[in-house]
């Protein structure tokens, strides 16, 4: 009798972690569970005005245990648990943390429990803007261009800028830090009972796209690159890694401790981790030269191509190109927007401010009623804005926005840039501004497609996954119109977790490679948005206006205002 085999995919997002149990034979979801980070929900350890966003490792650990155990109960208990063969994990990135020699994050060590610098530095933390600028300037001094495989520009969202900032900012953390570890590397290390950080299997995806590791350089840049940048980095290179691993490989098997905690066998294989977008692209059944857009709080845009096709070809201004970062044997290219869903969330929070303020006044309404009313109204704001924005005509487009509310990821990373809305009048209402913001995020997506094409890399199709792709036909239709390309939306609701499950199936030996796992476990697409030819002229014109305004903001306005401001102080 053939026994059904199951795997677990774990997807760590910005706000929560989700686990799914998947039938390895056909990709069917057996159960899923989500856990919202308790400390993050309370806005602990974050200072948005300083671009500081930190997450406590306990949120990750608690979420890991809760979601897996909950999934097992929902799927049928012990009978399912006995049939689970593998676990793989994806996370946000670059989201690294300072660790000691045992690989333990410093926030789990007495004395550092409440220190944000001892916690994971979330992907959207931009406290390392100065350090990123120094890395870019420093790299120009070397004959070898060590930034060539990360698009030529190093970002404050990435590994080394964050490490250098933390070392400079906190002498106590600096003294206690032995190494620096990505979230996607730490979770498999934790599950397999790792005790020596030097033996941790590091993800090629994370190392190549964010940490300057490259096959062409035979690893990381030399020690001199880092020690000459800042002596505080001396010695870190040798305490990091030389080798990297693709996510079809096992990191090990469940430790006795974690097997007991989860109710699983120590024979369960744990795969090497990767970033959410890269595993999500696999779950979304990416194909060569198709751009997979993972659309959530930000976007990560993933494209794969045969490595031989890109031999010697470098795409400028993206988030790197790494052989095997998505599918072994394929070159993985990453781009994205620093804010996507976050743009809409920002606007919702902005127009909700009076509501939140007034409902908090106890003399107006009972607190329990106020909380229920607030929750109900906030849930409807985006849907009502969408309904009204859809009624606007193309001629009513005076408002124009730039989507750089969290800086610009690609093309050409610059986290110091700011967003803007122009063309306002007394007739500009919330739906008109909302439509301008939606158009801006779509134009930002088009600028990425244009960059790939301008650099000689074709984009033959668009695949949409993630919360925005599933929930907003309005945004997806506008994006199809702006890109002038069809957009296919993947059927599976938790696509990043499904991609992790596919990798778990390969790491556990159920399938010989990720292509076979994708073929067997892929669930297909549920809808396809076709571009409206009648919109073509309108959006082409507006896109040129978007580019012109962005160029002005980047090269003139924002550079001129700061000196003027300081002169008048």
């Amino acid at each position: 009798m053939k026994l059904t085999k199951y795997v677990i995919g774990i997807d760590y997002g910005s706000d929560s972690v989700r686990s799914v149990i998947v039938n390895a034979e056909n990709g069917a979801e057996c159960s899923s569970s989500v856990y919202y980070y308790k400390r993050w929900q309370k806005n602990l350890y974050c200072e948005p005005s300083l671009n500081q966003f930190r997450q406590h490792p306990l949120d990750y650990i608690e979420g890991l245990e809760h979601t897996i155990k909950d999934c097992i109960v929902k799927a049928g208990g012990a009978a399912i648990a006995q049939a689970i063969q593998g676990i793989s994990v994806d996370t946000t990135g670059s989201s690294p943390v300072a660790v000691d020699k045992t690989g333990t994050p410093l926030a789990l060590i007495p004395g550092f429990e409440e220190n944000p610098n001892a916690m994971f530095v979330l992907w959207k933390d931009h406290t390392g803007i100065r350090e990123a600028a120094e890395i870019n300037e420093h790299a120009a001094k070397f004959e070898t261009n060590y930034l060539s495989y990360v698009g030529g520009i190093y970002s404050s969202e990435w590994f080394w800028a964050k490490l250098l900032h933390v070392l400079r900012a906190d002498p106590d953390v600096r003294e206690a830090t032995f190494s620096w570890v990505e979230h996607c590397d730490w979770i498999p290390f934790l599950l397999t009972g790792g005790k020596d950080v030097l033996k941790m299997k590091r993800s090629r995806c994370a190392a190549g796209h964010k940490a300057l590791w490259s096959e062409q350089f035979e690893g990381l840049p030399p020690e001199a690159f880092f020690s000459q940048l800042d002596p505080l980095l001396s010695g870190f290179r040798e305490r990091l890694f030389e080798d990297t691993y693709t996510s079809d490989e096992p990191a090990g098997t469940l430790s006795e401790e974690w097997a007991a905690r989860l109710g699983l066998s120590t024979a369960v294989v744990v795969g090497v981790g990767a970033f959410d977008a890269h595993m999500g692209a696999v779950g979304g059944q990416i194909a060569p030269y198709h751009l997979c857009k993972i659309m959530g709080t930000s976007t990560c845009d993933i494209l794969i191509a045969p490595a031989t096709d890109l031999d010697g070809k470098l795409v400028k201004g993206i988030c790197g190109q790494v052989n095997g970062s998505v599918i072994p044997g394929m070159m993985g290219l990453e781009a994205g927007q620093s804010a996507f869903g976050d743009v809409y969330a920002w606007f919702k929070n902005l127009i909700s401010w009076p509501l939140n303020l007034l409902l908090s006044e106890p003399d107006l309404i009972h607190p329990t009623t106020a909380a229920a009313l607030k929750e109900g109204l906030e849930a409807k704001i985006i849907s009502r804005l969408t309904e009204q924005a859809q009624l606007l005509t193309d001629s009513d487009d005076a408002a124009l926005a730039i989507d750089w509310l969290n800086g610009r990821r690609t093309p050409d990373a610059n986290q110091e840039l700011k967003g803007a809305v122009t063309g306002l009048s007394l007739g500009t209402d919330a739906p008109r501004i909302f439509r301008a913001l939606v158009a801006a995020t779509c134009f930002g997506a088009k600028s990425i497609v244009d960059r790939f094409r301008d650099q000689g890399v074709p984009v033959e199709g668009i695949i949409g996954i993630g919360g925005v792709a599933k929930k907003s036909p309005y945004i997806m239709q506008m994006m199809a119109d702006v890109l002038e390309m069809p957009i296919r939306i993947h059927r599976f609701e938790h696509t990043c977790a499904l991609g992790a499950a596919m990798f778990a199936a390969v790491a556990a030996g159920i399938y010989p490679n990720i292509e076979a796992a994708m073929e067997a476990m892929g669930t297909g697409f549920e809808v396809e948005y076709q571009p409206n030819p009648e919109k073509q002229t309108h959006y082409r014109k507006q896109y040129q206006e978007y580019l012109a305004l962005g160029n002005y903001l980047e090269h003139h306005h924002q550079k001129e205002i700061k000196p003027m401001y300081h002169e008048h102080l």
Side-chain angles (χ1 to χ4, degrees):
M1 179 179 175
K2 183 180 179 181
L3 296 177
T4 303
K5 297 178 179 179
Y6 297 93
V7 288
I8 297 177
I10 305 170
D11 172 36
Y12 278 94
S14 298
D15 302 317
S16 63
V17 56
R18 180 179 297 277
S19 293
V20 297
I21 295 179
V22 173
N23 184 329
E25 293 180 4
N26 55 22
E29 178 184 312
C30 300
S31 64
S32 70
S33 178
V34 64
Y35 178 93
Y36 290 91
Y37 310 134
K38 293 181 179 179
R39 297 158 188 80
W40 176 259
Q41 284 188 307
K42 296 177 182 178
N43 297 314
L44 300 180
Y45 319 119
C46 297
E47 295 287 346
S49 63
L50 302 177
N51 291 312
Q52 176 180 302
F53 297 94
R54 309 293 167 85
Q55 292 186 330
H56 202 290
L58 286 177
D59 273 342
Y60 297 161
I61 294 172
E62 292 163 5
L64 176 70
E65 184 169 2
H66 172 86
T67 56
I68 292 179
K69 291 168 75 171
D70 190 39
C71 274
I72 292 171
V73 170
K74 290 178 178 177
I80 287 288
Q82 292 174 7
I84 290 172
Q85 306 285 303
I87 297 174
S88 281
V89 176
D90 72 69
T91 72
T92 65
S94 178
S95 299
V97 69
V99 299
D100 65 9
K101 290 182 180 180
T102 70
T104 302
L106 298 189
L108 298 179
I109 295 174
F112 292 100
E113 300 95 331
E114 300 297 318
N115 186 336
N117 292 318
M119 299 174 190
F120 284 88
V121 184
L122 192 63
W123 63 269
K124 67 179 182 179
D125 186 297
H126 293 161
T127 51
I129 284 178
R130 170 192 165 194
E131 286 74 17
E134 290 179 24
I135 291 171
N136 287 312
E137 181 180 355
H138 178 67
K141 301 173 184 177
F142 289 77
E143 182 177 349
T144 299
N145 182 4
Y146 293 110
L147 305 185
S148 57
Y149 288 91
V150 292
I153 302 173
Y154 203 77
S155 169
S156 61
E157 292 185 345
W158 298 352
F159 190 89
W160 288 103
K162 290 178 174 179
L163 170 58
L164 184 53
H165 175 78
V166 167
L167 294 178
R168 287 173 169 175
D170 196 319
D172 292 334
V173 169
R174 179 171 70 234
E175 182 67 24
T177 300
F178 179 79
S179 192
W180 191 240
V181 172
E182 282 286 359
H183 184 192
C184 69
D185 293 333
W186 180 66
I187 296 295
F189 183 77
L190 175 73
L191 288 172
T192 57
K195 299 298 182 184
D196 182 352
V197 71
L198 297 179
K199 296 180 180 179
M200 179 183 292
K201 285 190 173 182
R202 306 285 189 136
S203 161
R204 177 168 301 184
C205 169
H209 285 283
K210 312 300 181 187
L212 299 179
W213 181 94
S214 175
E215 286 181 316
Q216 289 74 15
F217 307 145
E218 297 183 351
L220 295 166
E223 169 66 18
F225 180 88
F226 301 108
S227 60
Q228 291 175 19
L229 171 63
D230 191 309
L232 292 179
L233 294 176
S234 297
F236 269 95
R237 184 187 185 280
E238 67 181 26
R239 301 199 295 273
L240 289 172
F241 48 86
E242 288 287 346
D243 299 322
T244 62
Y245 300 85
T246 53
S247 294
D248 57 334
E249 299 192 45
T253 56
L254 273 182
S255 68
E256 291 186 3
E257 175 190 353
W258 274 98
R261 288 173 71 166
L262 300 175
L264 297 173
S265 164
T266 55
V268 172
V269 175
V270 180
V272 170
F275 289 151
D276 47 8
H278 299 73
M279 283 192 171
V282 169
Q285 294 173 268
I286 193 171
Y289 298 111
H290 283 65
L291 191 66
C292 188
K293 296 184 65 64
I294 296 85
M295 290 174 269
T297 53
S298 67
T299 78
C300 279
D301 299 354
I302 304 296
L303 185 145
I304 61 171
T308 52
D309 287 7
L310 296 185
D311 187 28
K313 182 181 293 185
L314 295 170
V315 181
K316 297 179 180 178
I318 64 171
C319 304
Q321 51 193 80
V322 182
N323 186 9
S325 66
V326 183
I327 295 177
M330 289 275 188
M331 189 68 72
L333 296 91
E334 178 191 346
Q337 294 163 263
S338 292
F340 194 77
D342 268 353
V343 173
Y344 319 135
W346 165 80
F347 187 58
K348 183 190 79 170
N349 292 337
L350 180 70
I351 62 177
S352 300
W353 184 83
L355 175 70
N356 294 333
L357 177 69
L358 295 174
L359 286 180
S360 66
E361 297 182 5
D363 59 326
L364 290 178
I365 190 170
H366 189 275
T368 302
T369 305
L373 185 60
K374 175 184 172 184
E375 182 179 356
L377 291 174
E378 283 194 340
K380 294 181 178 180
I381 287 176
I382 294 296
S383 63
R384 294 295 185 268
L385 284 171
T386 297
E387 290 173 4
Q388 295 301 308
Q390 286 177 309
L391 298 176
L392 299 172
T393 64
D394 288 346
S395 61
D396 191 2
D397 64 349
L400 179 69
I402 300 296
D403 55 316
W404 302 334
L405 273 72
N406 198 27
R408 184 179 63 208
R409 182 176 293 161
T410 51
D412 305 320
N414 187 340
Q415 304 306 155
E416 293 188 274
L417 295 175
K418 306 298 181 184
V421 182
T422 65
L424 303 178
S425 72
L426 293 177
T428 305
D429 56 15
R432 286 172 170 81
I433 295 178
F434 179 69
R435 185 180 69 168
L437 293 171
V438 172
T441 56
C442 293
F443 294 145
K446 179 171 173 56
S447 69
I448 292 170
V449 172
D450 286 354
R451 174 56 60 93
F452 278 120
R453 289 173 169 167
D454 291 344
Q455 297 285 308
V457 178
V459 178
E460 299 176 354
I462 305 292
I463 297 170
I465 69 174
V468 178
K470 299 281 284 187
K471 297 175 183 177
S472 181
Y474 172 65
I475 296 172
M476 290 301 96
Q477 184 59 57
M478 186 183 292
M479 183 169 291
D481 294 339
V482 168
L483 296 180
E484 300 179 23
M485 298 177 68
I487 300 177
R488 292 182 296 162
I489 307 302
H490 201 269
R491 178 174 287 109
F492 202 93
E493 187 169 355
H494 316 302
T495 322
C496 292
L498 175 60
M502 290 176 178
F503 276 108
V506 179
I510 299 172
Y511 293 103
N513 52 51
I514 196 62
E515 290 90 343
M518 289 171 64
E519 177 68 24
M521 300 172 67
T523 58
F525 302 89
E526 64 181 3
V527 66
E528 183 170 310
Y529 293 92
Q530 294 290 337
N532 184 350
E534 296 179 0
K535 298 282 189 179
Q536 190 176 90
T537 300
H538 171 72
Y539 282 127
R540 284 184 178 181
K541 174 179 177 292
Q542 204 173 29
Y543 178 57
Q544 293 305 314
E545 294 171 351
Y546 167 89
L547 293 177
L549 177 58
N551 182 68
Y552 173 69
L553 289 172
E554 182 172 9
H555 295 108
H556 301 287
H557 183 64
Q558 294 190 20
K559 290 184 178 180
E560 292 170 2
I561 280 185
K562 290 180 181 178
M564 291 172 60
Y565 173 76
H566 289 300
E567 286 175 9
H568 288 85
L569 289 179

